Amino acid sequence: MTLEEKVGQLHQVPPFFFSDSLVNEVAGPLRKYKISEAQLYRVGSILGTAGPEEMRQLQTMYLEKSRLKIPLLFMADIIHGYKTIFPIPLAIAATMDVERSRLAAKIAAKEAATSGIHVTFSPMADLARDARWGRVMESSGEDPFLNYQMTYAAVKGYQGESLKDPSTLAACGKHVVAYGAAVAGKDYTQAEVSKHSLYQYYLEGYRACVDAEAELLMSSFNVVEGVPSTVSPFVLKTLIRQHLGFKGVIISDYDSLNEAQFHHVTHTGEETALKGMQATLDIEMSSGIYQNYIIPLIKKGQLSERLLDQAVLRVLQLKEKIGLLDDPFRGLNPALEATLPLSEAHYQAAYDVAKASPILLQNEGVLPLNKEDDVVFVGSLLDEQNLLGAWAWHGEAERTASLGMVLRQRYSHELIPFDTLNETHVARIQNAKKVVVVVGERSKEFGEARSKVSPTLSEEHIQLWHQVIAINPSVITLVLAGRPLVLPSKIETSKGLLYSFYLGSAMADVLADTLFGQLNPSGTLPMTLAREVGQLPLHTLSLPTGRPFEGKTYTYTSHYIEGVNSPLYPLGYGLSYTSFSLLKAKKMHENDQAILLEVTIKNTGTIPGEHPVFAYLHTPPVPVALPEKTLVGVSRISLDAGATQTFTVTLPKHHFYYYDTQYRRQSFLGPFTVTVSLIGETLDVSC
Ligand code: BGC
């Protein structure tokens, strides 16, 4: 390969360089840096386009004109589905079910591969603790254990048994590192996180990517320890390649190599290219820095060609590994692309994943609804058809049913799909036995660059909610959201409260079935719900303080003078239409990998139910400050009404860790106390 050909492999361009009509999905500035035709036919990959015809055309055109005929890699953001849209990742995390995370990813890969995509920019492994950040929707929430488990399963789902299987996608975990720690939840800003927290909490999701053998990792937009990740040897070499042992391809985020200059950390294109190469960044996404400056640097003797070769080799190995060198049209299948996405079976899978996600936060005997109930539904979100959530580029909102459509089709209850009520509406609401009021966010209010200074309900929805509860206290509040919203202060006075993150294609069916009791809610919160915006970021892994709050009689403790410390609902909170009793819990077995608990549970209610059971490790004494308890195991149980059964809860030992003051990973030494918890009931187990 010539130097030019090697550099080309490290360059990823958006499709519009090939044709102006190809501007599909771009979540960044459309900087059309200069690129010659010769350079274009040497680039290694393209991002953000899909469709079997387009991809075939692009690849064919490229192969005809390029000398080496190394096929292009096509990468895209397949975040929670291609055309069959699964719940947003935060909603999948609410199921606490790794199998659902794996299944959603597997089907997303299967569908997207038919359109010729090879790599997905997913999963997002960023730990997310601040509801102001719009991208919490793409995360698995605030807890490192959950973050690890969900991320690992998603990578396995995308990549399958072998990447030679053309129905799989290579996974690109993102964004290294600590993008989720954006200060005050503002996108594209610096992450402020102590080095200890970085190792102890924030690395876990990326560690999951490496353990699950994700082929790629993407660098983040933010600055960490004074340097933008994309050009940071500390992030890419020390943390990712050395500490986590990652051997695959590292790609920049959109234009983030170029943006090192905007951060005033590099001052010329050459310096930026040099720092990127020295940090072991392999592919530059959508900037012309490597393309323009690597060769001059090598010619001047400032950059070793060996570094370039190593990066190119990683890219070529990826192409080889996924079978692209044998078949440039790997996976691409127009006939299948026309029938598989949104097929009945895939819709059913989306429904099955989504049905375990809605979270019942409150129920004073008002839910589930009966067909015969005199109930009226209120709120403009009833007619919202885009229930797909952000990052569903290829989803078809116009083919998705709104909740209102499903209710009208299946039930005869009255709908008032407005946020402003007239006199007739008011009279009807006043006379109804129950009122379901639907409030929350729409898809365009969360996702990338959708930070909110106040992640609450809109003024309109707050007013609507207050108006409804003032005229009829039998209110059931249904919240649809892409983040853990800070709800109005009296929301707990709702007789019923059901919280649902955006669930994708099957959302309306799942919500109707949950409200009317064909489904029993079994989701639990993957992020804590705060009572007030000023509490953010709020999560359950805060460190013990030397001045714990003991009531307002003594001043010098850790508290707010005009607010409370406690969340509205913590991580893991979620009720059921049935009730369970935790009868017994004991250690069953221990090996090098895991401790296995045996937990006996009875469904004490009158209907079948499923629910996650959580296991928390009490932190043994170590020389660093850690939360008092950390999540180390989750298992979903399922029980018929009245049934009693013994379940196994597995506690993988690699989660029994802490980082010491030298940032070395250490294992806790036993004996341990583990608390098993299920909807407010707990049992301690000695291990
Ligand atoms: C986002 C990435 C995404 C990339 C490509 C960026 O703006 O931060 O998460 O994968 O665009 O679309």
Side-chain angles (χ1 to χ4, degrees):
M1 293 172 86
T2 63
L3 273 181
E4 286 77 7
E5 283 162 343
K6 289 180 189 173
V7 168
Q9 287 302 316
L10 308 190
H11 195 189
Q12 173 166 104
V13 296
F16 54 71
F17 278 100
F18 285 89
S19 154
D20 275 339
S21 63
L22 296 175
V23 192
N24 283 358
E25 330 154 353
V26 208
L30 289 180
R31 286 193 194 105
K32 265 208 176 188
Y33 45 86
K34 290 206 175 63
I35 174 167
S36 69
E37 188 170 349
Q39 286 173 327
L40 191 59
Y41 286 95
R42 289 195 296 259
V43 299
S45 55
I46 294 195
L47 84 147
T49 188
E53 299 311 333
E54 276 171 7
M55 308 287 247
R56 184 179 291 281
Q57 249 178 36
L58 264 172
Q59 192 74 286
T60 309
M61 187 165 83
Y62 177 86
L63 292 175
E64 271 166 15
K65 294 202 182 175
S66 92
R67 187 183 76 94
L68 290 175
K69 312 210 178 304
I70 301 170
L72 285 166
L73 263 175
F74 291 118
M75 309 198 190
D77 292 283
I78 306 300
I79 307 297
H80 52 114
Y82 174 61
K83 288 197 175 158
T84 306
I85 302 300
F86 284 81
I88 59 173
L90 193 60
I92 298 183
T95 71
M96 304 284 158
D97 186 357
V98 290
E99 283 316 316
R100 284 183 158 92
S101 173
R102 185 194 298 258
L103 179 69
K106 182 178 165 186
I107 292 179
K110 224 171 164 180
E111 289 193 3
T114 63
S115 88
I117 294 169
H118 309 124
V119 173
T120 174
F121 295 134
S122 178
M124 188 179 97
D126 306 322
L127 195 70
R129 294 175 156 184
D130 195 326
R132 289 172 291 187
W133 193 44
R135 300 193 81 168
V136 298
M137 60 133 312
E138 286 173 71
S139 79
S140 45
E142 70 187 37
D143 184 84
F145 168 81
L146 264 184
N147 193 213
Y148 182 99
Q149 295 286 329
M150 290 293 163
T151 302
Y152 185 96
V155 172
K156 289 292 185 196
Y158 288 128
Q159 298 197 162
E161 295 287 306
S162 157
L163 282 162
K164 286 269 160 41
D165 172 353
S167 71
T168 59
L169 297 180
C172 174
K174 64 193 188 185
H175 308 82
V176 289
V177 298
Y179 183 36
V183 171
K186 186 135 60 87
D187 221 342
Y188 313 129
T189 189
Q190 79 252 35
E192 284 304 338
V193 53
S194 73
K195 222 166 169 179
H196 188 262
S197 290
L198 190 60
Y199 279 93
Q200 180 74 32
Y201 310 110
Y202 284 85
L203 271 192
E204 282 302 280
Y206 316 119
R207 189 167 73 87
C209 294
V210 178
D211 288 357
E213 299 177 6
E215 290 297 328
L216 302 93
L217 288 177
M218 184 187 294
S219 69
S220 55
F221 284 122
N222 54 283
V223 170
V224 184
E225 294 277 306
V227 181
S229 298
T230 304
V231 292
S232 164
F234 167 66
V235 170
L236 302 190
K237 281 172 81 172
T238 310
L239 289 180
I240 300 304
R241 296 220 188 264
Q242 284 158 18
H243 184 69
L244 296 182
F246 182 62
K247 301 210 164 40
V249 170
I250 301 182
I251 183 169
S252 78
D253 203 341
Y254 194 100
D255 197 44
S256 72
L257 180 59
N258 182 41
E259 286 174 17
Q261 297 175 88
F262 293 52
H263 288 285
H264 299 289
V265 164
T266 61
H267 306 280
T268 62
E270 265 188 21
E271 193 191 350
T272 312
L274 184 61
K275 292 213 162 136
M277 286 305 291
Q278 286 172 340
T280 72
L281 173 80
D282 298 318
I283 300 181
E284 63 167 345
M285 184 197 297
S286 230
S287 80
I289 296 290
Y290 275 0
Q291 180 66 266
N292 292 323
Y293 300 107
I294 285 183
I295 296 176
L297 281 167
I298 291 178
K299 291 203 166 141
K300 283 194 243 168
Q302 288 170 2
L303 173 68
S304 140
E305 197 175 338
R306 241 186 99 238
L307 274 187
L308 172 64
D309 286 348
Q310 284 167 354
V312 174
L313 187 61
R314 284 191 283 265
V315 175
L316 295 179
Q317 275 168 340
L318 172 61
K319 292 189 174 185
E320 197 277 330
K321 206 163 181 182
I322 68 164
L324 195 61
L325 302 185
D326 302 323
D327 177 8
F329 304 107
R330 173 203 188 271
L332 194 151
N333 186 331
L336 213 52
E337 206 266 349
T339 53
L340 193 63
L342 278 174
S343 61
E344 193 49 45
H346 284 190
Y347 180 84
Q348 188 57 45
Y351 179 94
D352 287 342
V353 171
K355 73 181 185 188
S357 184
I359 305 157
L360 183 66
L361 294 174
Q362 174 123 337
N363 190 14
E364 292 177 21
V366 283
L367 285 170
L369 303 169
N370 273 319
K371 253 189 160 165
E372 296 72 38
D373 271 350
D374 172 23
V375 51
V376 43
F377 293 81
V378 186
S380 67
L381 277 173
L382 284 164
D383 277 345
E384 177 62 55
Q385 242 182 298
N386 187 0
L387 297 177
L388 302 180
W391 287 113
W393 298 101
H394 309 283
E396 297 170 8
E398 58 296 347
R399 285 176 68 186
T400 310
S402 68
L403 180 56
M405 285 172 178
V406 171
L407 293 174
R408 283 185 196 101
Q409 200 180 42
R410 294 213 232 137
Y411 304 93
S412 51
H413 304 286
E414 186 170 346
L415 308 190
I416 304 176
F418 307 107
D419 294 333
T420 312
L421 306 176
N422 63 28
E423 279 174 18
T424 326
H425 300 147
V426 169
R428 178 65 191 100
I429 292 169
Q430 227 158 11
N431 294 329
K433 276 265 154 39
K434 292 177 186 172
V435 189
V436 177
V437 55
V438 191
V439 290
E441 298 181 295
R442 293 179 199 269
S443 287
K444 62 177 186 329
E445 290 181 70
F446 50 90
E448 184 173 350
R450 301 291 192 276
S451 298
K452 282 185 172 175
V453 73
S454 183
T456 54
L457 294 181
S458 65
E459 272 307 311
E460 237 182 347
H461 279 180
I462 294 176
Q463 262 176 32
L464 173 71
W465 187 83
H466 280 294
Q467 189 183 2
V468 171
I469 202 152
I471 52 179
N472 188 332
S474 269
V475 164
I476 295 153
T477 307
L478 170 62
V479 182
L480 317 184
R483 47 156 70 80
L485 290 169
V486 179
L487 297 171
S489 65
K490 296 259 167 16
I491 200 90
E492 312 99 289
T493 56
S494 307
K495 295 271 181 285
L497 178 55
L498 185 68
Y499 200 100
S500 179
F501 294 113
Y502 270 68
L503 299 180
S505 304
M507 182 159 183
D509 278 332
V510 165
L511 289 180
D513 290 348
T514 306
L515 289 168
F516 282 93
Q518 285 92 332
L519 293 174
N520 186 349
S522 61
T524 57
L525 287 171
M527 284 183 83
T528 296
L529 291 194
R531 289 176 191 272
E532 311 224 24
V533 174
Q535 293 180 308
L536 298 176
L538 184 67
H539 57 84
T540 43
L541 288 183
S542 50
L543 301 180
T545 159
R547 304 262 180 120
F549 180 60
E550 290 160 354
K552 288 199 174 169
T553 46
Y554 182 61
T555 306
Y556 297 99
T557 62
S558 180
H559 71 286
Y560 299 103
I561 57 172
E562 39 45 298
V564 295
N565 287 346
S566 63
L568 184 61
Y569 298 105
L571 173 89
Y573 193 88
L575 308 171
S576 167
Y577 292 155
T578 188
S579 50
F580 300 98
S581 189
L582 262 184
L583 300 180
K584 226 183 341 175
K586 62 171 190 185
K587 178 170 146 185
M588 180 175 83
H589 180 68
E590 178 169 357
N591 57 32
D592 287 350
Q593 265 75 49
I595 295 176
L596 272 56
L597 305 183
E598 227 176 48
V599 183
T600 308
I601 301 168
K602 178 171 182 165
N603 179 345
T604 48
T606 52
I607 56 167
E610 282 188 37
H611 216 73
V613 180
F614 297 95
Y616 292 90
L617 173 74
H618 293 243
T619 315
V622 289
V624 287
L626 292 175
E628 282 165 14
K629 279 188 297 179
T630 47
L631 189 60
V632 288
V634 180
S635 260
R636 277 181 69 90
I637 56 116
S638 170
L639 277 171
D640 282 339
T644 300
Q645 205 180 309
T646 299
F647 300 89
T648 304
V649 180
T650 304
L651 318 179
K653 277 196 179 160
H654 64 101
H655 291 293
F656 287 49
Y657 72 94
Y658 71 97
Y659 281 88
D660 66 17
T661 52
Q662 305 302 305
Y663 314 115
R664 288 172 305 213
R665 197 178 174 91
Q666 308 281 6
S667 298
F668 288 130
L669 299 175
F672 305 112
T673 303
V674 172
T675 298
V676 176
S677 127
L678 172 64
I679 318 190
E681 294 213 9
T682 58
L683 283 177
D684 283 353
V685 186
S686 302
C687 299

